[in-house]
């Protein structure tokens, strides 16, 4: 009688947190066996490349016995070794037997029954419980850029809108923190590990790793999403690289510093099917005041919209000088070359914050908040030409044009956007109207006006805001939280409320207005061709050549 080819059973039990638990810790790793992989040995021992023969009758060469749910996992990615001499449960075990089908099925069922029946001390962090979600329900994240904004997102702070930051969220697992400043990344890593040690009841927890080079974070296959809070010139290039690495991205302003960067961002996220959320959170936060203003204006509560006052200059990348001879010693722990990234090389001269002085005209940092709400409300035709009228400043000796937030530069003048639907957007404030300065705008129609910012919403006449929307009125997307919307879309693969097309449309309005200020003349913008009409000098400002190896 010809016997069937012998079967080899190979299995490994691993913890949900990666790696193997050691010795007696086997009882404390979570869960139940999910599968066992059965492989026949090769037919030809002399030929390591020989194909495997068929497996059990009716099955392929690899047979999976589904035995239940996670989190205790059985993996076949280990080499056979001698079985443990002790009968105590081990975190890693290998057993190999040569046997016929009947003996195999009998012994396997007995062994697995013993495993499943054995008592286990399973932490809530492994399978959920006590308010902790199981690992399968958490989004694994890395945080790159740990200044005030990045650390605020991570640990809690201004503009983050989540008590305790992302690390306090039940649906997030922070795995990596990264910054070119050693003291920042070490502080963040230590603090995160302390928080998780207390949360999971694991003394000496060290699951949050620190990195200097963001490329190491992007190379980790276990990280699903990254939050970027970076110097201006790094926002679009790093977000693009993250998408290419298969990561979903939450990116703080300014989204991009050139029009070409913005176009490339949109194309890359579409091509790689990644989720992107811009950090222009006013669509999602502040009690819905901005959404209310948008819907009231779109539904004609102020009559026909005629003018919008933005309370903020636009801006553009327009270096007064590319290089500098100013120099001072690079502080210990700062990777200056990596901070510069795509910027042309220059010695360190004491600046390593949001941007190098003299590289921008107007404002690209705070203005995205104002112009995002304006684009949302005006809803201009994305295919129609836009005239960007430049107006020189009347008083170049004055201080900051807008004291709150990131101030503009009065000497750069103002712009007026003329859209095809007849709406004109002015970069200055509405005269004598205080509401609008804090990230907002004032919308003026034929029958009234609405002013809105983070703190207030006001209408003239006052009864405009008192009448509720009717059932057939136009409504815009409604989400209850910006970070929550991002994480929901990571799971569902839907578009975020500030997806790449929305974010880039806003930053393009800002950058084209900034170029008009830089050249001090009126321009006409073709959004379909993404170029200025008949102005080669202006079109040369739509991109710049990055320093190798950061060419995208």
């Amino acid at each position: 009688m010809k016997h069937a080819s012998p079967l080899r059973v190979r299995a490994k039990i691993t913890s949900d947190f990666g790696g193997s638990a050691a010795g007696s810790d086997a009882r404390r790793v979570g869960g139940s066996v999910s599968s066992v992989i059965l492989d026949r040995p090769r037919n030809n021992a002399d030929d390591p490349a020989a194909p495997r023969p068929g497996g059990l009758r009716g099955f392929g060469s690899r047979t999976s016995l589904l035995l239940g749910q996670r989190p205790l996992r059985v993996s076949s990615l280990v080499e056979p070794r001698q079985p443990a001499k002790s009968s105590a449960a081990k975190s890693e075990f290998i057993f190999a037997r040569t046997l016929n089908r009947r003996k195999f099925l009998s012994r396997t069922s007995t062994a697995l029954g013993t495993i499943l029946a054995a008592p286990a001390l399973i932490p809530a962090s492994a399978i959920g419980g006590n308010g902790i979600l199981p690992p399968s329900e958490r989004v694994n994240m890395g945080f790159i850029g740990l200044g005030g904004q990045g650390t605020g997102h991570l640990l809690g702070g201004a503009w983050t809108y989540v008590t305790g930051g992302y690390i306090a969220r039940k649906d997030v697992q922070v795995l990596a923190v990264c910054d070119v400043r050693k003291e920042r990344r070490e502080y963040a890593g230590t603090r995160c590990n302390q928080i998780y040690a207390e949360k999971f009841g694991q003394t000496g927890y060290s699951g949050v790793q620190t990195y200097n080079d963001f490329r190491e974070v992007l190379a980790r296959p276990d990280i699903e999403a990254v939050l970027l809070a970076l110097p201006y010139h790094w926002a679009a290039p790093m977000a693009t690289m993250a998408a290419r690495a298969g990561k979903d991205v939450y990116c703080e302003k300014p989204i991009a510093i050139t029009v070409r960067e913005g176009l490339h961002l949109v194309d890359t996220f579409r091509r790689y099917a990644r989720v992107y959320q811009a950090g222009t959170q006013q669509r999602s936060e502040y009690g819905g005041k901005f959404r209310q203003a948008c819907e009231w204006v779109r539904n004609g509560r102020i009559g026909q919209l005629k003018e919008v006052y933005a309370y903020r200059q636009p801006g553009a990348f327009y270096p007064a000088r590319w290089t500098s001879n100013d120099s001072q010693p690079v502080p210990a722990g700062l990777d200056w070359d990596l901070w510069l990234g795509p910027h042309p090389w220059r010695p360190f001269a004491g600046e390593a914050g949001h941007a190098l002085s003299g590289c921008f005209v107007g404002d690209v940092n705070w203005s995205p908040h104002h112009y995002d709400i304006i684009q949302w409300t005006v809803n201009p035709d994305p295919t129609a030409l836009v005239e960007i009228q430049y107006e020189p400043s009347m008083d170049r000796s004055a201080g900051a044009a807008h004291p709150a937030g990131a101030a503009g530069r009065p000497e750069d003048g103002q712009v007026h956007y003329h859209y095809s639907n007849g709406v004109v957007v002015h970069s200055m404030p509405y005269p004598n109207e205080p509401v609008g300065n804090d990230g907002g705008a004032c919308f003026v129609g034929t029958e009234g006006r609405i002013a809105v910012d983070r703190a207030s919403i006001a209408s003239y006449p006052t009864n405009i805001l008192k009448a509720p929307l009717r059932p057939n009125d136009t409504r815009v997307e409604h989400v209850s939280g910006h970070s929550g919307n991002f994480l929901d879309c990571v799971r569902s693969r839907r578009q975020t409320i500030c997806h790449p097309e929305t974010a880039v449309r806003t930053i393009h309005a800002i950058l084209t207005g900034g170029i008009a200020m830089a050249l001090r003349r009126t321009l006409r913008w073709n959004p379909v061709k993404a170029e200025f009409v008949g102005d080669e000098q202006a079109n040369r400002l739509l991109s710049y050549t990055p320093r190798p190896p950061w060419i995208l």
Side-chain angles (χ1 to χ4, degrees), residues 48-246:
R52 298 175 187 268
L56 292 175
R57 184 177 301 165
F59 295 86
S61 62
R62 288 195 141 190
T63 303
S64 176
L65 303 181
L66 300 180
L67 302 171
Q69 298 180 346
R70 285 188 345 192
L72 204 60
R73 294 196 286 262
V74 179
S75 166
S76 66
L77 303 179
V78 291
E79 292 302 317
R81 62 179 72 169
Q82 293 299 319
K85 295 180 180 180
S86 171
S87 60
K90 301 294 184 180
S91 64
E92 180 179 284
F93 70 91
I94 306 295
F95 55 93
R97 296 285 186 271
T98 301
L99 67 168
N100 61 28
R101 295 188 194 97
R102 182 176 300 173
K103 290 182 178 180
F104 162 75
L105 294 173
S106 174
R107 295 183 185 185
T108 300
S109 62
T110 301
L112 292 177
T114 301
I115 294 172
L116 294 173
L121 301 177
I122 305 170
S125 58
I127 61 171
N130 296 329
I132 298 176
L133 294 177
S136 61
E137 298 299 320
R138 305 177 212 153
V139 176
N140 292 336
M141 291 189 66
F143 287 72
I144 305 175
L146 299 168
Q149 192 84 346
T151 302
H153 277 297
L154 176 63
L155 300 175
W159 305 305
T160 60
Y161 315 104
V162 179
T163 303
Y166 274 77
I167 198 165
R169 292 189 65 109
K170 298 177 182 179
D171 54 354
V172 168
Q173 185 76 29
V174 178
L175 297 182
V177 292
C178 176
D179 198 282
V180 295
R181 292 181 181 270
K182 182 179 180 181
E183 70 276 10
R184 288 180 176 178
R185 64 178 180 265
E186 288 188 347
Y187 168 77
T190 299
R191 188 73 190 100
C192 286
N193 283 321
Q194 290 172 346
I195 291 170
Y196 279 148
E198 181 179 350
K199 180 178 181 178
F200 296 143
Q202 297 182 16
T203 303
Y205 182 92
S206 60
V208 181
Q209 301 298 311
T210 62
Y211 298 89
N212 173 66
D213 193 327
F214 71 92
R215 289 169 292 189
E216 296 182 60
V217 178
L218 300 186
R220 287 185 55 167
D222 56 341
I223 291 179
E224 302 166 82
V226 291
L227 189 145
L228 310 180
L230 309 166
Y232 300 164
H233 60 283
W234 262 122
M238 199 179 296
T240 300
M241 294 175 70
R244 289 177 173 178

Side-chain angles (χ1 to χ4, degrees), residues 316-326 343-344 346 351 355-362 409 411-412 518 520 541 544:
F317 182 58
Y318 189 67
R321 56 179 182 172
W322 274 108
T323 59
S324 170
N325 292 324
D326 297 338
H343 264 341
R346 66 168 69 190
E351 293 183 295
L356 297 171
S357 59
C359 283
F360 291 88
V361 62
R409 305 195 323 168
E411 65 271 23
D412 293 330
R520 300 185 184 277
L541 298 178
Y544 77 100

Side-chain angles (χ1 to χ4, degrees), residues 237-455:
M238 199 179 296
T240 300
M241 294 175 70
R244 289 177 173 178
K247 313 304 181 190
D248 297 326
V249 176
Y250 184 113
C251 187
E252 276 297 342
K253 311 174 310 299
I255 303 159
I257 63 169
T258 70
V259 167
R260 296 284 183 259
E261 281 186 350
L263 294 173
H264 194 60
L265 182 79
V266 171
D267 180 67
T268 301
F269 275 84
R270 183 184 297 126
R271 181 182 306 168
Y272 288 87
R274 295 295 91 196
V275 170
Y276 177 94
Q277 178 84 298
T280 45
Q281 71 276 6
Q282 292 180 169
R283 297 191 183 207
S284 311
E285 307 288 351
Y286 304 103
K289 288 189 287 291
F290 293 99
R291 184 184 71 254
Q292 181 184 6
C294 177
E295 291 176 336
W296 261 245
V297 172
R298 281 198 181 196
N299 286 289
R301 298 304 174 86
I302 59 172
Q304 183 181 357
L305 180 63
K306 303 299 289 185
E307 296 178 293
V308 182
Y309 290 81
Y311 289 74
R312 185 68 47 169
Q313 290 173 315
F317 182 58
Y318 189 67
R321 56 179 182 172
W322 274 108
T323 59
S324 170
N325 292 324
D326 297 338
S327 178
Q328 58 181 266
V330 178
L334 170 63
D335 190 332
W336 173 241
D337 181 66
L338 194 54
W339 186 95
L340 277 176
H343 264 341
W345 171 259
R346 66 168 69 190
F348 176 75
E351 293 183 295
H354 293 302
L356 297 171
S357 59
C359 283
F360 291 88
V361 62
D363 170 30
V364 298
N365 178 48
W366 194 256
S367 61
H369 290 304
H370 295 258
Y371 288 88
D372 179 58
I373 297 305
I374 292 169
Q375 292 290 310
W376 200 23
T377 306
V378 174
N379 195 28
D381 182 349
T383 67
L385 294 178
V386 182
E387 181 179 291
I388 307 170
Q389 176 190 352
Y390 170 71
E391 178 185 341
S393 174
M394 302 303 294
D395 182 7
R396 298 190 180 184
S397 63
H402 310 295
R409 305 195 323 168
E411 65 271 23
D412 293 330
Q414 303 291 343
V415 296
H416 311 271
Y417 299 85
H418 296 262
Y419 288 102
S420 62
N421 59 3
V423 176
V424 180
V425 175
H426 311 284
S427 61
M428 67 274 292
Y430 187 85
N432 302 315
E433 174 54 71
V435 177
N437 190 59
D438 190 10
C442 182
F443 302 91
V444 181
T446 56
E447 299 176 18
R449 58 187 171 94
I450 292 176
V452 62
D453 62 16
R454 296 182 175 188

